[in-house]
């Protein structure tokens, strides 16, 4: 279901960066790439509220006049390490989520832009996050696969149907993985989340190595009807989640940062 796509030359490049201290942390992404992570802002918790802001929901989703303006986020993405290993990035800058695709000339073009929610206690450096702190990890992570309670909406990504026995495990021996179990286990029973997990993507946070209790079940999923805040996941309106699934393919990454200046760190 997951395939590596990093060239040997890229591995040499990233190894060199590690040895010189350019990257402060690096974890093999196994299935579809290598998440590029950093300790920039390691001691910073944005503390931004994920309160409901209805007024933003109808802005920019269709990319109108702003699409013709200079896209500084696209320019920033072009110079990142993440852009060297993927051709598709879901960019979260505070409460704005955008989908970018790399063009034939190497530039990046925005295909979708909308409001998003995240952890109730804001964003936090990936290596400082702890299970239950209700923060969303900052960094650049591979999208492992898509899944849902509803049927596949037509995505080119690997897709898993949620069954009555599907869990995202909180057990130590299988922590932060999808498990099919006939008997209840700790973690999230995925079929219980009938709205949020109608359509979702699994974010490759805390994998290879997996650190017990650092956090699990970090997804991009449909918004909770009652609030924008989450226990750590990123959320969008269902129509935007479907649109993302229909436009994304295997190898896609998600980059989560507090501001535009932080894009360069990943």
């Amino acid at each position: 279901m997951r395939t590596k796509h990093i060239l040997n030359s890229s591995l040499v490049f990233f190894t060199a960066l590690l040895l010189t201290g350019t990257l402060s942390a690096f974890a093999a992404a196994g299935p579809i790439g290598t998440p590029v992570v950093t300790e920039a802002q390691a001691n910073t918790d944005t503390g931004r509220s994920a309160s409901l802001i209805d007024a933003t929901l109808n802005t920019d989703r269709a990319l109108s006049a702003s699409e013709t303006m200079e896209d500084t986020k696209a320019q920033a993405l072009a110079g990142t390490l993440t852009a060297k290993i993927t051709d598709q990035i879901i960019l979260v800058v505070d409460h704005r989520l955008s989908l970018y695709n790399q063009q034939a000339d190497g530039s990046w073009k925005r295909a979708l832009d909308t409001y998003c929610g995240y952890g109730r206690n804001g964003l936090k450096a990936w290596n400082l996050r702890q299970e239950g702190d209700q923060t969303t990890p900052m960094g650049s992570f591979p999208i492992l696969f898509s899944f849902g309670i509803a049927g596949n909406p037509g995505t080119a990504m690997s897709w898993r149907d949620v069954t009555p026995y599907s869990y995202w495990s909180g057990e130590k021996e299988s922590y932060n993985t999808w498990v099919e179990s006939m008997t209840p286990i700790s973690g999230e029973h995925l079929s219980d989340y009938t709205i949020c997990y109608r359509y979702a993507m699994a974010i490759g946070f805390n994998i290879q190595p997996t650190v017990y209790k650092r956090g699990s079940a970090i997804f991009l999923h449909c918004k909770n009807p009652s609030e924008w805040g989450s226990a750590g996941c990123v959320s969008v309106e269902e129509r935007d989640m479907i649109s993302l699934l229909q436009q994304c393919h295997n190898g896609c990454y998600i980059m989560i940062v507090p501001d535009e200046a932080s894009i360069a760190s990943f």
Side-chain angles (χ1 to χ4, degrees), residues 63-71 110:
L63 299 184
S64 56
S66 62
E67 190 174 27
T68 63
M69 299 173 63
E70 183 178 41
D71 191 339
R110 187 173 57 180

Side-chain angles (χ1 to χ4, degrees), residues 88-251:
Q88 191 169 61
I89 298 173
I90 298 170
L91 177 64
V92 175
V93 179
D94 195 21
H95 284 294
R96 299 305 302 183
L97 180 147
S98 306
L99 173 64
Y100 282 89
N101 293 305
Q102 189 176 46
Q103 306 301 296
D105 62 359
S107 64
W108 288 78
K109 184 176 181 181
R110 187 173 57 180
L112 180 147
D113 184 75
T114 191
Y115 186 84
C116 69
Y118 51 64
R120 296 181 184 90
N121 291 325
L123 306 177
K124 181 178 282 188
W126 65 272
N127 56 319
L128 296 182
R129 192 184 186 281
Q130 296 294 320
E131 183 174 289
D133 67 8
Q134 297 198 31
T135 64
T136 296
M138 294 187 291
S140 183
F141 313 99
I143 298 296
L144 303 179
F145 55 85
S146 57
F147 68 94
I149 294 172
N152 185 334
T155 184
M157 304 183 79
S158 299
W159 173 271
R160 291 187 180 183
D161 288 315
V162 172
T163 76
Y165 313 109
S166 300
Y167 292 83
W168 201 272
S169 177
E171 303 283 343
K172 188 171 184 178
E173 63 275 10
S174 56
Y175 188 71
N176 197 29
T177 64
W178 180 300
V179 173
E180 292 289 320
S181 177
M182 297 290 288
T183 58
I185 63 172
S186 66
E188 291 191 359
H189 186 214
L190 300 180
S191 62
D192 290 345
Y193 298 81
T194 56
I195 295 176
C196 292
Y197 296 169
R198 279 180 58 79
Y199 304 101
M201 296 180 186
I203 297 175
F205 164 71
N206 194 21
I207 60 170
Q208 297 185 358
T210 299
V211 178
Y212 185 54
K213 293 297 184 179
R214 174 164 285 170
S216 67
I218 300 298
F219 306 137
L220 169 57
H221 62 63
C222 301
K223 174 190 175 291
N224 182 330
S226 63
E227 62 169 327
W228 277 106
S230 72
C233 295
V234 178
S235 66
V236 294
E237 292 282 358
E238 182 175 308
R239 57 183 170 182
D240 293 319
M241 193 68 233
I242 292 173
S243 182
L244 283 166
L245 285 166
Q246 291 175 340
Q247 296 183 66
C248 290
H249 54 255
N250 288 340

Side-chain angles (χ1 to χ4, degrees), residues 19-31:
L19 293 176
T20 58
T22 303
L23 291 180
S24 58
F26 183 93

